[in-house]
Structure formats: C-alpha cells, structure tokens
Amino acid sequence: MTGPTEDRLALASEQDRHSAADWEKITAAVLRKSGRLTDEDPDATVWTKLARTTLDGISVAPIGTPADLEGLATAGRPTREGAWDIRAQYDGPDAKAVNQAILADLNGGVTSLWIQLGAGLTAADVAPALEGVDLSIAPVVVDGGIEGAEALAALDGLHADSNLGADPLAVQLRGGAGADLGQVATVAKLAQQKGVRGVVVDATAAHDLGASDAQELGYALYAGVSYLRALVDAGLSVEEAAAQVELRIAATDEQFPTIAKFRAARRLWARVLELSGAAEEARVTRIHGVTSRPMLAKYDSYVNMLRTTVASFAAGVGGAEAVTVLPFDSALGVPDAFGRRIARNTSHLLIDESHVAKVADPAGGSYAVEKLTDDLARVAWDVLGEIETSGLDALTTKIAATVETREKQIAQRKRPLTGVTEFPNLGETLPERTPSPIADAVRRYGASFEALRDEPAAAPVFLATLGPVAHHTARATFITNLLAAGGIAVEAAGPTTDAADLTSKYAGQKVAVLAGTDKAYAEWGADAISALRDAGAAYVILAGKPGDLAVDDSAAMGVDALAFLNRTREALA
C-alpha cells in the first residue's frame, strides 16, 4: 500500500481553492432562483442579504473570512480541560422531594448540586435536602445570600468547588430591596473559613428580564466589579477576592451567539482582573452556564429538549466549567423525574457519546466566531461603562428597549418559536406539575402567545377553502397554524367548486377566513365573500394580501400576528 500523497492532505487554510468572489457568484445564483436577488443585483449583495443583526446591533455575516481577524481588540481562550461539571438545579417547595431528586441525580451522573432558596426552600430545609449526600464528594451551590451562608455554616466537609452564592445585586435587579454589599463580605469570609467560594455573579437575573447578550455580560461585569471592591474594602486582597467569584451566564438555542458570549465573558473578566491589579496567575474565570428559562415554552414542551441540547452544547463549546441543563418541563413548574433524567443525560450525551469536551475551545480560530466574540465583548464593555456612570436604572432602560424589539420580532414571526408561534398543537393537554415560584417569575419569550392559548377562543372560525385541496392547501395551512397560535380553532370547508358549494358547507360561524390561490380570489373571491356575508358571516378575513376584495381583515407573511389574533378573537367574542 502506498501512503496518501501530499496534495490529499492539503488543508484549506494552507491552499485556498476558492475566492470570496467564487462564493458570491455561486450563492447569488441560488438567491436569484429563490427570488431574493434580481439579475440586476451585483453578486456581492449576498453579504447583506444573508447577514443578520443581533439584538445588540451586531451584524453577523453568513460566513467568516480571514479579514475578520484584522483589528480584533480582545484575546483569550477557554481554559477548561475535559468534561464540564454537570450541575443540577433544585427549588422547593418540599425538602423531602428535593432530597429524593438529588439522590436520583447523583446516581444518574450529576456531579454538583445547585439549591435555590426563596422558592419554597428555606435555610432550615438545606440540611434535610442534603441528607445522605457526601459533601466531600459532591460540590454544592446554595443561593440565598446571608440565609444560604447560615444554612451551610453548620455543614462540614464541603467540597472545594462548593459555593455559598451571595449575590445581592441580582436580588435587587429581580425587583427586591436595595443591595447590601456588606452581605458579600460576610459570606466571602465564611466561605474562606470553609475553603470554598462565596460569591456568584448571576447574570441570568438580567437575562430573565429580557436582556440581550451584551447587556447580560455588561451586568455581569458591573456586579463582579462591585463585589471585588466590596471584598477588597473588607480586607481581602484582589487575588483573594477574585478567587471568591463565579460567573453564571444563560445559554440559549442561538448556538453561535451563545458560544461567543461565553468566550467573551472570559476575556472581559480577565481584563477586569488585569485592571484591578490581580497577578496574572489569579486572572482565572470560572463560568457556570445555565440553559435559558425565557426560551423555554410551556406549550409543546418536548421541543424544549432540542432547545436545551443546543444551548448546553454551545455553553460547553464556549468553555463553561459547569453547565446546568434545566429540565424540559421547567416552564410548567417543578420538574418531574423524567424531566430531570433527560436534563442530566443531555450533558452525558454531549460529553460521553459526542465527545464535545475532548477538544479545548473547538470554536477557536473560526473567523466568524472570533469576530462575533470580539464584537460582543466590545459592546458589553460599553454597557459596563453606561451602568458604572448611570447605575442599574440605565440597564433596566436598555433591557426594556430590547424586550420591545424582541416582542415585535416574535409578534411578526421573524423570530419563530416552534410549538408556540409556529406549528402549534391546539389539541395538546399540558402535563400537570407543582407550581414553581422561579418558573412563574420569568417572562418567557412566547408569553404573549401562551396567554392566548391559556384561554382558547370560545368558537371556531369557518375556513372557507376555495377550489380543490391542491390549490388551497398552502394558504389554508398557513392561516390554520397562525390562528392556532392564538388559541383559535378552524372548521374547514374542504374542496369547493363555487360560492354556492362553499356556503353549503358553512355552519353559521361568526368569522370566516378565505384561503385559496390568487387566481381563485380573482375569479370568484368576491362572490364567495358576498355569499358568506348573506349566509351570516359577520367578519371575513382573507389569507394573503386583500387586493381589491372587500374583507374586514387579512393575514400574509410578515403580519403582526399578535395584533391580528387579538382582532380575530374580538370578532369571535
């Protein structure tokens, strides 16, 4: 056997076979076939046609190029070696049930525990919740400020990776009283005595309110800097203070922005420690990634498995030292045993079967990811400056603007939510779960549509399908899915031949929706509308653009779906 020849081993980075112009030409041809480009548009237009803009105003190109690496302002790579810590989350209200869940998770491969107080659990519940747990093996994170510190003050043998989790600024951001930074010093000193960490910078507090990636990172930096100052003022050295801090960041199903966010967080925190005068070996960043709560959907909750898989993959690739995959049924309340099993197995699948953790910083060197990481870090640093100047009120104002933009995109279905705004299942029966204060406190991205689903319309609409099935099926499917997203059922006419045939299948519904081709609308749409009104339809909607037809409303791609659904429900009332 002869060995492979040298040209077969040539790497693209060493021997580029195609230029950017070649890619532009091929891609432009595809876009012209789909109608997104005209023959007059230059090929280079593909860059703007395929680029997307994040909620932070960062343009993300369709592919990366070597030019993306020019002028980068930040540097730094994830330092985690091997598998990440699989950290499971627990909240109330029953300490015994939490203990059973903890023991099951530990037997199932969870490597650390995260207990949240104030959600039905109190400091007195921590000991019974941890009954039977070897604290010298299983790291424990207890969130609860001073209460959490008091709960663990009597617990000996804590693992060195345990954390008492003081974070008063997160409590303030979530709507609590003003932050008492003296708590941080008290908890940190107790943590030092036990040889564990004491402070969590929980940036998910900003994320849960609707913050963008840069706003979440800006808040994390602001809180982290505030805690460093408080600890140094209390007598700790910068290095000792830095060793007390862990960052907690949300991971969403937007894969590349999430990878970039975790990489940017590491660079930014290292820069903060550098400017604080910490020794180089002390500029260590420990990041806990948590799959996003707002991205989880209450309806069609099994889709959440896909969302959390992408999110945890991105957090792991981004270098998170610990990853918490929230169970797919978390949006419904306290998760059940199946939800917890799937959550912990998601990390096992990525680590043990997909070997995602075998490679350090697998996204490193990617032109697009390096550019996105740098752009995001720059914007986040600017957000930090604004908060430092104007306080947390400046952040909440920026978050409100982000929420408005996101809500508009979701309402127009430019930011689709599978199972909520797209392909909803009106016949679904939601699994029953014990209510969770944490789940109820988060506004999910699909909350406006879920509110409509919570109270379905009392009556269906008549789907007036024009012509044979092959002709009307596209628009009928579009409008049926759109109405279902607002809790509105349809009763379809099926194949029809003319206005008389159509009205013979009409059963007195208050609202009728026409669905057919443009040709059918032109040929007998007006007759169909007139016949339906004569038969008793009080409100007529057209699937598509109305043109000259006299209808009360219409719905086409790009419509403000939420406003349309509310108008339709009012007509049905």
Side-chain angles (χ1 to χ4, degrees):
M1 287 182 63
T2 59
T5 59
E6 183 177 348
D7 62 336
R8 292 178 184 170
L9 293 176
L11 300 177
S13 59
E14 299 170 349
Q15 185 180 341
D16 290 329
R17 293 177 172 81
H18 297 286
S19 66
D22 293 332
W23 177 82
E24 291 171 2
K25 181 178 180 180
I26 296 169
T27 307
V30 174
L31 294 187
R32 289 190 180 101
K33 286 183 179 179
S34 66
R36 297 186 62 184
L37 281 183
T38 67
D39 291 338
E40 289 72 32
D41 291 324
D43 291 348
T45 309
V46 298
W47 292 100
T48 54
K49 281 289 183 181
L50 295 178
R52 66 184 184 87
T53 303
T54 70
L55 291 168
D56 292 305
I58 298 171
S59 179
V60 182
I63 62 171
T65 66
D68 291 338
L69 302 185
E70 298 174 4
L72 298 184
T74 63
R77 304 183 66 175
T79 57
R80 189 199 71 237
E81 296 181 2
W84 56 81
D85 172 15
I86 303 173
R87 182 172 297 172
Q89 179 266 346
Y90 308 92
D91 55 59
D94 184 348
K96 183 177 180 180
V98 169
N99 177 251
Q100 292 173 346
I102 286 175
L103 296 178
D105 280 341
L106 289 172
N107 286 330
V110 160
T111 55
S112 69
L113 313 172
W114 170 24
I115 299 175
Q116 290 187 274
L117 304 184
L121 292 178
T122 67
D125 294 320
V126 173
L130 293 174
E131 185 178 353
V133 176
D134 187 343
L135 297 178
S136 66
I137 297 175
V140 178
V141 177
V142 176
D143 280 351
I146 293 296
E147 186 181 16
E150 291 175 347
L152 289 188
L155 294 176
D156 297 321
L158 287 174
H159 191 284
D161 282 339
S162 293
N163 197 320
L164 306 191
D167 192 1
L169 282 170
V171 175
Q172 178 182 345
L173 193 63
R174 286 190 167 103
D180 178 8
L181 296 187
Q183 291 183 15
V184 176
T186 301
V187 174
K189 289 179 178 179
L190 173 62
Q192 273 194 318
Q193 294 172 12
K194 289 188 166 290
V196 299
R197 282 184 302 277
V199 182
V200 168
V201 173
D202 189 0
T204 68
H207 176 81
D208 289 351
L209 294 176
S212 66
D213 291 338
Q215 290 161 4
E216 182 183 350
L217 290 180
Y219 166 76
L221 297 176
Y222 172 74
V225 168
S226 300
Y227 297 157
L228 287 179
R229 289 169 177 158
L231 295 179
V232 170
D233 289 345
L236 277 68
S237 68
V238 174
E239 289 77 11
E240 289 174 328
Q244 285 292 307
V245 177
E246 178 176 275
L247 306 184
R248 181 179 296 148
I249 299 172
T252 74
D253 54 0
E254 295 187 61
Q255 177 177 302
F256 289 107
T258 296
I259 293 171
K261 178 164 67 171
F262 278 76
R263 299 177 85 247
R266 192 173 305 279
R267 297 180 182 187
L268 290 165
W269 187 242
R271 177 59 173 160
V272 165
L273 296 178
E274 178 185 359
L275 294 175
S276 300
E280 186 171 355
E281 63 272 13
R283 299 171 196 166
V284 178
T285 312
R286 182 172 177 85
I287 301 178
H288 172 203
V290 183
T291 57
S292 166
R293 284 190 184 278
M295 79 172 179
L296 299 180
K298 180 169 67 174
Y299 287 94
D300 210 349
S301 58
Y302 292 99
V303 178
N304 292 332
M305 294 184 192
L306 304 179
R307 297 183 177 107
T308 55
T309 298
V310 174
S312 53
F313 169 85
V317 169
E321 278 74 20
V323 175
T324 295
V325 178
L326 295 177
F328 73 91
D329 51 350
S330 295
L332 295 164
V334 178
D336 70 358
F338 178 66
R340 291 194 172 281
R341 178 180 172 225
I342 294 297
R344 63 179 181 259
N345 283 349
T346 299
S347 280
H348 287 311
L349 175 70
L350 293 170
I351 294 170
D352 300 320
E353 297 190 31
S354 301
H355 306 293
V356 172
K358 288 287 187 181
V359 179
D361 191 23
S366 161
Y367 302 138
V369 173
E370 292 290 358
K371 172 67 172 172
L372 185 55
T373 299
D374 192 73
D375 287 344
L376 182 55
R378 292 180 192 232
V379 177
W381 193 262
D382 290 340
V383 172
L384 168 63
E386 292 180 43
I387 304 174
E388 286 269 79
T389 302
S390 305
L392 282 177
D393 286 345
L395 176 64
T396 54
T397 299
K398 291 178 74 69
I399 291 175
T402 298
V403 169
E404 183 178 355
T405 300
R406 184 189 289 110
E407 287 282 309
K408 184 176 180 181
Q409 292 176 355
I410 291 172
Q412 294 176 340
R413 304 208 293 182
K414 293 179 180 178
R415 186 179 286 264
L417 304 175
T418 303
V420 181
T421 65
E422 309 289 330
F423 311 110
N425 176 14
L426 270 185
E428 177 184 14
T429 300
L430 293 181
E432 293 186 5
R433 297 290 183 269
T434 302
S436 166
I438 293 178
D440 293 341
V442 174
R443 178 179 170 82
R444 293 181 294 278
Y445 295 150
S448 297
F449 286 87
E450 289 182 347
L452 298 179
R453 294 281 297 280
D454 288 343
E455 298 182 11
V461 304
F462 177 62
L463 184 58
T465 46
L466 276 58
V469 173
H471 289 186
H472 66 239
T473 188
R475 277 186 170 144
T477 301
F478 162 77
I479 199 67
T480 298
N481 282 330
L482 176 57
L483 292 168
I488 304 171
V490 303
E491 293 177 345
T496 57
T497 55
D498 54 28
D501 185 26
L502 178 67
T503 52
S504 70
K505 300 175 181 180
Y506 173 68
Q509 295 90 343
K510 201 171 184 180
V511 175
V513 182
L514 265 66
T517 62
D518 289 340
K519 182 179 179 181
Y521 290 162
E523 290 178 350
W524 57 288
D527 291 340
I529 293 169
S530 178
L532 286 169
R533 291 195 190 279
D534 290 343
Y539 196 82
V540 179
I541 300 169
L542 188 82
K545 296 181 180 179
D548 296 329
L549 294 176
V551 293
D552 300 295
D553 206 344
S554 64
M557 294 298 293
V559 69
D560 185 328
L562 199 59
F564 167 78
L565 291 170
N566 279 313
R567 291 194 301 269
T568 304
R569 288 170 66 98
E570 288 175 7
L572 284 168

